[in-house]
Amino acid sequence: MRNRFKKSMQKKLVSMEKELLRSLEAQQSEYQELTLADRTEETDDATVRNEERALSALLHHEERRLTRVRSALGRLVAGHYGICADCGNPIGEDRLKAQPETIFCYGCAKKRQGNIRAPHLS
Ligand SMILES: [Zn+2]
């Protein structure tokens, strides 16, 4: 992999990490406000609980994304960034540009998605 490409991916991943941290922080304080709001009389318990659930799902989603971004940065440093975790082939630069934190090549990601979408089709 070309050094210039690696550098640009690193820059992208670092800014993704920052953005995710910012957004996680904002959501965490929103989540806390919701939990506090739960104790007042006017709020509808069910609505608050639904909002809480939605927010916490979003939080988990972004936390997982942050973990992936950080491990991609680790792989960049270790020198095996851009190698598919499944088949070991290099991941295309276009794919990495679109999804810098990915660990699978296009073919393997597609296979996995298919497995997730249709687990009971047999
Ligand atoms: Zn692969």
Side-chain angles (χ1 to χ4, degrees):
M1 191 181 290
R2 289 170 296 130
N3 256 339
R4 244 185 69 203
F5 182 71
K6 260 193 204 169
K7 281 238 164 72
S8 78
M9 284 298 101
Q10 189 167 21
K11 239 170 111 180
K12 207 164 175 174
L13 283 161
V14 167
S15 77
M16 280 168 84
E17 186 188 20
K18 274 191 206 145
E19 208 177 291
L20 278 166
L21 280 173
R22 240 201 324 265
S23 141
L24 272 168
E25 231 169 80
Q27 276 160 37
Q28 256 148 10
S29 60
E30 203 178 319
Y31 189 74
Q32 268 160 9
E33 271 170 38
L34 261 180
T35 323
L36 289 177
D38 207 1
R39 301 204 181 103
T40 65
E41 284 167 40
E42 302 113 85
T43 46
D44 175 358
D45 270 2
T47 313
V48 169
R49 266 197 298 274
N50 279 340
E51 270 178 57
E52 254 179 36
R53 248 202 303 275
L55 250 181
S56 102
L58 196 68
L59 268 170
H60 285 305
H61 175 79
E62 299 218 321
E63 269 165 10
R64 275 200 300 272
R65 186 134 192 254
L66 183 63
T67 308
R68 283 202 298 269
V69 166
R70 283 184 166 156
S71 91
L73 280 167
R75 289 197 302 279
L76 260 173
V77 174
H80 41 80
Y81 178 73
I83 305 294
C84 176
D86 210 348
C87 67
N89 287 325
I91 302 170
E93 289 192 0
D94 282 345
R95 177 166 167 77
L96 287 172
K97 268 186 219 158
Q99 225 180 310
E101 79 277 26
T102 189
I103 55 167
F104 298 118
C105 71
Y106 181 72
C108 293
K110 199 139 196 205
K111 250 191 320 208
R112 278 170 185 265
Q113 253 175 22
N115 287 344
I116 291 163
R117 257 188 226 144
H120 308 296
L121 279 184
S122 57

Coordinates of all heavy atoms in Angstrom, one line a residue, residues 26-77:
A26 N -22.1 14.1 23.5 CA -23.3 14.8 23.4 C -24.5 13.9 23.8 O -25.4 14.2 24.5 CB -23.5 15.4 22.0
Q27 N -24.4 12.6 23.2 CA -25.5 11.7 23.5 C -25.5 11.2 24.9 O -26.6 11.0 25.5 CB -25.4 10.5 22.6 CG -26.0 10.7 21.2 CD -25.4 9.8 20.2 OE1 -25.2 8.7 20.5 NE2 -25.2 10.3 19.0
Q28 N -24.4 11.1 25.5 CA -24.3 10.7 26.9 C -25.0 11.7 27.8 O -25.7 11.3 28.7 CB -22.9 10.4 27.4 CG -22.6 8.9 27.4 CD -21.1 8.6 27.1 OE1 -20.3 9.5 27.0 NE2 -20.8 7.4 26.9
S29 N -24.7 13.0 27.5 CA -25.4 14.0 28.4 C -26.9 14.0 28.1 O -27.7 14.3 29.0 CB -24.7 15.4 28.2 OG -24.8 15.8 26.9
E30 N -27.3 13.8 26.9 CA -28.7 13.8 26.6 C -29.3 12.6 27.3 O -30.5 12.7 27.8 CB -28.9 13.6 25.1 CG -30.2 14.1 24.5 CD -30.3 13.9 23.0 OE1 -29.3 14.2 22.3 OE2 -31.4 13.5 22.6
Y31 N -28.6 11.5 27.3 CA -29.1 10.3 28.0 C -29.3 10.5 29.5 O -30.3 10.1 30.1 CB -28.1 9.2 27.8 CG -28.6 7.8 28.2 CD1 -29.5 7.1 27.5 CD2 -28.1 7.2 29.4 CE1 -30.0 5.9 27.9 CE2 -28.5 6.0 29.8 CZ -29.5 5.3 29.0 OH -29.9 4.1 29.4
Q32 N -28.3 11.2 30.1 CA -28.4 11.6 31.5 C -29.6 12.5 31.8 O -30.4 12.3 32.7 CB -27.2 12.3 32.0 CG -26.2 11.3 32.5 CD -24.8 11.8 32.5 OE1 -24.6 13.0 32.3 NE2 -23.8 11.0 32.8
E33 N -29.9 13.5 30.9 CA -31.0 14.3 31.0 C -32.3 13.5 31.0 O -33.2 13.8 31.8 CB -31.0 15.4 29.9 CG -30.3 16.6 30.3 CD -30.1 17.5 29.1 OE1 -31.1 17.6 28.3 OE2 -29.0 18.1 28.9
L34 N -32.4 12.6 30.1 CA -33.6 11.8 30.0 C -33.8 11.0 31.3 O -34.9 10.8 31.7 CB -33.4 10.8 28.8 CG -34.0 11.1 27.5 CD1 -33.7 10.0 26.5 CD2 -35.5 11.3 27.7
T35 N -32.7 10.4 31.8 CA -32.8 9.6 33.0 C -33.3 10.5 34.2 O -34.1 10.1 35.0 CB -31.5 9.0 33.4 OG1 -30.8 8.7 32.2 CG2 -31.7 7.8 34.2
L36 N -32.9 11.8 34.2 CA -33.4 12.7 35.2 C -34.8 13.0 35.0 O -35.6 13.1 35.9 CB -32.5 13.9 35.2 CG -31.1 13.8 35.8 CD1 -30.3 15.1 35.7 CD2 -31.1 13.3 37.2
A37 N -35.2 13.3 33.7 CA -36.5 13.7 33.3 C -37.5 12.6 33.7 O -38.7 12.9 34.0 CB -36.6 14.0 31.8
D38 N -37.1 11.4 33.8 CA -37.9 10.3 34.2 C -38.5 10.5 35.5 O -39.6 9.9 35.8 CB -37.0 9.0 34.2 CG -37.8 7.8 33.9 OD1 -39.0 7.9 33.7 OD2 -37.2 6.7 33.9
R39 N -37.9 11.3 36.4 CA -38.4 11.4 37.7 C -39.4 12.5 37.9 O -40.0 12.6 39.0 CB -37.2 11.7 38.7 CG -36.1 10.6 38.6 CD -35.3 10.5 39.8 NE -34.3 9.4 39.6 CZ -33.0 9.6 39.3 NH1 -32.6 10.9 39.3 NH2 -32.2 8.6 39.2
T40 N -39.6 13.3 36.9 CA -40.6 14.4 37.0 C -42.0 13.8 36.7 O -42.1 12.8 36.1 CB -40.3 15.6 36.1 OG1 -40.4 15.2 34.8 CG2 -38.9 16.2 36.4
E41 N -43.0 14.5 37.1 CA -44.4 14.0 37.0 C -45.0 14.1 35.6 O -45.7 13.3 35.2 CB -45.3 14.7 38.0 CG -45.1 14.3 39.4 CD -45.8 15.2 40.4 OE1 -46.9 15.7 40.1 OE2 -45.2 15.5 41.4
E42 N -44.6 15.2 34.9 CA -45.3 15.5 33.6 C -44.9 14.5 32.5 O -45.6 14.3 31.6 CB -45.0 16.9 33.1 CG -45.4 18.0 34.1 CD -44.2 18.7 34.6 OE1 -43.8 19.6 33.9 OE2 -43.7 18.3 35.7
T43 N -43.7 13.9 32.6 CA -43.2 13.1 31.5 C -44.0 11.7 31.5 O -44.3 11.1 32.5 CB -41.7 12.8 31.6 OG1 -41.4 12.4 32.9 CG2 -40.9 14.0 31.2
D44 N -44.2 11.3 30.3 CA -44.9 10.1 30.0 C -43.8 9.0 30.1 O -42.9 8.9 29.3 CB -45.5 10.1 28.6 CG -46.1 8.8 28.2 OD1 -46.0 7.8 29.0 OD2 -46.7 8.8 27.1
D45 N -43.9 8.1 31.0 CA -42.9 7.0 31.3 C -42.6 6.2 30.1 O -41.4 6.0 29.8 CB -43.4 6.1 32.4 CG -43.0 6.6 33.8 OD1 -42.4 7.7 33.8 OD2 -43.3 5.9 34.7
A46 N -43.6 5.8 29.3 CA -43.4 4.9 28.2 C -42.6 5.7 27.1 O -41.7 5.1 26.5 CB -44.7 4.5 27.6
T47 N -42.9 7.0 26.9 CA -42.2 7.7 25.9 C -40.8 7.9 26.3 O -39.9 7.7 25.4 CB -42.8 9.2 25.8 OG1 -44.2 9.0 25.7 CG2 -42.3 9.9 24.5
V48 N -40.5 8.2 27.5 CA -39.2 8.4 28.0 C -38.4 7.1 27.8 O -37.3 7.0 27.4 CB -39.1 8.9 29.5 CG1 -37.7 8.8 30.0 CG2 -39.6 10.3 29.5
R49 N -39.0 6.0 28.2 CA -38.3 4.7 28.1 C -38.0 4.3 26.7 O -36.9 3.8 26.4 CB -39.2 3.6 28.7 CG -38.8 3.3 30.2 CD -39.3 2.0 30.6 NE -40.8 1.9 30.6 CZ -41.5 2.4 31.6 NH1 -41.0 2.9 32.7 NH2 -42.9 2.3 31.5
N50 N -38.9 4.7 25.7 CA -38.6 4.4 24.3 C -37.5 5.3 23.9 O -36.6 4.8 23.1 CB -39.9 4.8 23.5 CG -40.8 3.6 23.5 OD1 -40.5 2.5 23.8 ND2 -42.1 3.9 23.1
E51 N -37.5 6.6 24.3 CA -36.4 7.4 23.9 C -35.1 6.9 24.4 O -34.0 7.0 23.8 CB -36.6 8.9 24.3 CG -37.4 9.7 23.3 CD -37.7 11.1 23.9 OE1 -36.7 11.8 24.2 OE2 -38.9 11.4 23.9
E52 N -35.1 6.5 25.7 CA -33.9 5.9 26.3 C -33.4 4.8 25.5 O -32.2 4.7 25.3 CB -34.3 5.5 27.7 CG -33.8 6.4 28.8 CD -34.2 5.9 30.2 OE1 -34.2 4.7 30.4 OE2 -34.5 6.7 31.0
R53 N -34.3 3.9 25.2 CA -33.9 2.7 24.4 C -33.2 3.1 23.1 O -32.2 2.6 22.7 CB -35.1 1.8 24.2 CG -35.0 0.5 25.0 CD -35.8 -0.6 24.3 NE -37.2 -0.2 24.2 CZ -38.1 -0.3 25.2 NH1 -37.8 -0.9 26.3 NH2 -39.4 0.1 25.1
A54 N -33.9 4.0 22.4 CA -33.3 4.5 21.1 C -32.0 5.1 21.2 O -31.0 4.8 20.5 CB -34.3 5.4 20.4
L55 N -31.9 5.9 22.2 CA -30.6 6.6 22.5 C -29.5 5.6 22.9 O -28.4 5.7 22.4 CB -30.7 7.6 23.6 CG -30.7 9.1 23.2 CD1 -30.8 9.9 24.5 CD2 -29.4 9.4 22.5
S56 N -29.8 4.6 23.7 CA -28.8 3.7 24.2 C -28.4 2.8 23.0 O -27.3 2.4 22.9 CB -29.3 3.0 25.4 OG -29.7 1.7 25.1
A57 N -29.3 2.5 22.1 CA -29.0 1.7 20.9 C -28.0 2.5 20.1 O -27.0 1.9 19.6 CB -30.2 1.3 20.1
L58 N -28.3 3.8 19.9 CA -27.4 4.6 19.1 C -26.0 4.7 19.8 O -25.0 4.7 19.1 CB -28.0 6.0 19.0 CG -27.5 6.9 17.9 CD1 -27.9 6.4 16.5 CD2 -28.1 8.3 18.1
L59 N -26.0 4.9 21.1 CA -24.8 4.9 21.8 C -23.9 3.7 21.6 O -22.7 3.8 21.3 CB -25.1 5.1 23.3 CG -25.1 6.5 23.9 CD1 -25.6 6.5 25.3 CD2 -23.8 7.2 23.8
H60 N -24.6 2.5 21.7 CA -23.9 1.3 21.5 C -23.3 1.2 20.1 O -22.2 0.8 19.9 CB -24.7 0.1 21.8 CG -25.0 -0.1 23.2 ND1 -23.9 -0.3 24.1 CD2 -26.1 -0.2 24.0 CE1 -24.4 -0.4 25.3 NE2 -25.7 -0.4 25.3
H61 N -24.1 1.6 19.1 CA -23.7 1.6 17.7 C -22.5 2.4 17.5 O -21.5 2.0 16.9 CB -24.9 2.1 16.9 CG -24.6 2.2 15.4 ND1 -24.6 1.1 14.6 CD2 -24.2 3.3 14.7 CE1 -24.2 1.5 13.4 NE2 -24.0 2.8 13.4
E62 N -22.5 3.6 18.1 CA -21.3 4.5 17.9 C -20.1 4.0 18.7 O -19.0 4.2 18.2 CB -21.7 5.9 18.3 CG -22.9 6.4 17.4 CD -22.7 7.9 17.0 OE1 -22.3 8.7 17.9 OE2 -23.0 8.2 15.9
E63 N -20.4 3.4 19.8 CA -19.2 2.9 20.6 C -18.6 1.8 19.8 O -17.3 1.7 19.8 CB -19.7 2.4 21.9 CG -19.7 3.4 23.0 CD -20.5 3.0 24.2 OE1 -20.9 1.8 24.3 OE2 -20.7 3.9 25.1
R64 N -19.4 0.9 19.2 CA -18.8 -0.1 18.4 C -18.0 0.4 17.2 O -16.9 -0.1 16.9 CB -19.9 -1.1 17.8 CG -20.3 -2.1 18.8 CD -21.0 -3.3 18.1 NE -22.2 -2.9 17.5 CZ -23.4 -2.8 18.0 NH1 -23.5 -3.2 19.3 NH2 -24.4 -2.4 17.3
R65 N -18.6 1.5 16.6 CA -17.9 2.1 15.5 C -16.5 2.7 15.9 O -15.5 2.6 15.2 CB -18.8 3.2 14.9 CG -18.3 3.8 13.7 CD -19.4 4.0 12.6 NE -18.8 4.3 11.4 CZ -18.9 5.6 10.8 NH1 -19.6 6.5 11.4 NH2 -18.3 5.8 9.7
L66 N -16.6 3.4 17.1 CA -15.3 3.9 17.6 C -14.3 2.8 17.9 O -13.1 3.0 17.6 CB -15.7 4.7 19.0 CG -14.5 5.4 19.6 CD1 -14.0 6.5 18.8 CD2 -14.9 5.9 21.0
T67 N -14.7 1.7 18.4 CA -13.8 0.6 18.6 C -13.2 0.2 17.2 O -12.0 -0.1 17.2 CB -14.5 -0.6 19.2 OG1 -15.3 -0.2 20.3 CG2 -13.6 -1.7 19.6
R68 N -14.0 0.1 16.2 CA -13.5 -0.3 14.9 C -12.5 0.7 14.3 O -11.5 0.4 13.8 CB -14.7 -0.5 13.9 CG -15.4 -1.8 14.1 CD -16.1 -2.2 12.8 NE -17.1 -1.2 12.4 CZ -18.4 -1.2 12.8 NH1 -18.8 -2.2 13.6 NH2 -19.3 -0.3 12.5
V69 N -12.8 2.0 14.5 CA -12.0 3.1 14.0 C -10.6 3.0 14.7 O -9.6 3.1 14.1 CB -12.6 4.4 14.2 CG1 -11.6 5.6 14.1 CG2 -13.8 4.6 13.2
R70 N -10.7 2.8 16.1 CA -9.4 2.7 16.8 C -8.6 1.5 16.5 O -7.4 1.5 16.4 CB -9.7 2.7 18.3 CG -10.1 4.0 18.8 CD -10.3 4.1 20.3 NE -10.3 5.5 20.7 CZ -11.0 5.8 21.8 NH1 -11.6 5.0 22.6 NH2 -10.9 7.1 22.2
S71 N -9.3 0.3 16.2 CA -8.5 -0.8 15.9 C -7.9 -0.7 14.4 O -6.8 -1.2 14.2 CB -9.3 -2.1 16.0 OG -10.0 -2.5 14.9
A72 N -8.6 0.1 13.6 CA -8.0 0.3 12.3 C -6.8 1.2 12.4 O -5.8 0.9 11.7 CB -9.0 1.0 11.4
L73 N -6.8 2.2 13.3 CA -5.6 3.0 13.5 C -4.5 2.1 14.1 O -3.3 2.3 13.7 CB -5.9 4.1 14.5 CG -6.7 5.3 13.9 CD1 -7.2 6.2 15.0 CD2 -5.7 6.1 13.0
G74 N -4.8 1.2 14.9 CA -3.8 0.3 15.5 C -3.2 -0.6 14.4 O -2.0 -0.8 14.3
R75 N -4.0 -1.0 13.4 CA -3.5 -1.8 12.3 C -2.6 -1.0 11.4 O -1.7 -1.5 10.8 CB -4.7 -2.4 11.5 CG -5.5 -3.5 12.3 CD -6.3 -4.4 11.3 NE -7.3 -3.6 10.5 CZ -8.4 -3.2 11.0 NH1 -8.8 -3.5 12.2 NH2 -9.2 -2.4 10.3
L76 N -3.0 0.3 11.2 CA -2.1 1.1 10.4 C -0.7 1.2 11.0 O 0.3 1.1 10.3 CB -2.7 2.5 10.4 CG -3.5 2.9 9.2 CD1 -4.2 4.3 9.3 CD2 -2.6 3.0 7.9
V77 N -0.7 1.4 12.3 CA 0.6 1.5 13.0 C 1.4 0.2 12.9 O 2.6 0.1 12.7 CB 0.4 1.9 14.5 CG1 1.7 1.8 15.3 CG2 -0.2 3.3 14.6

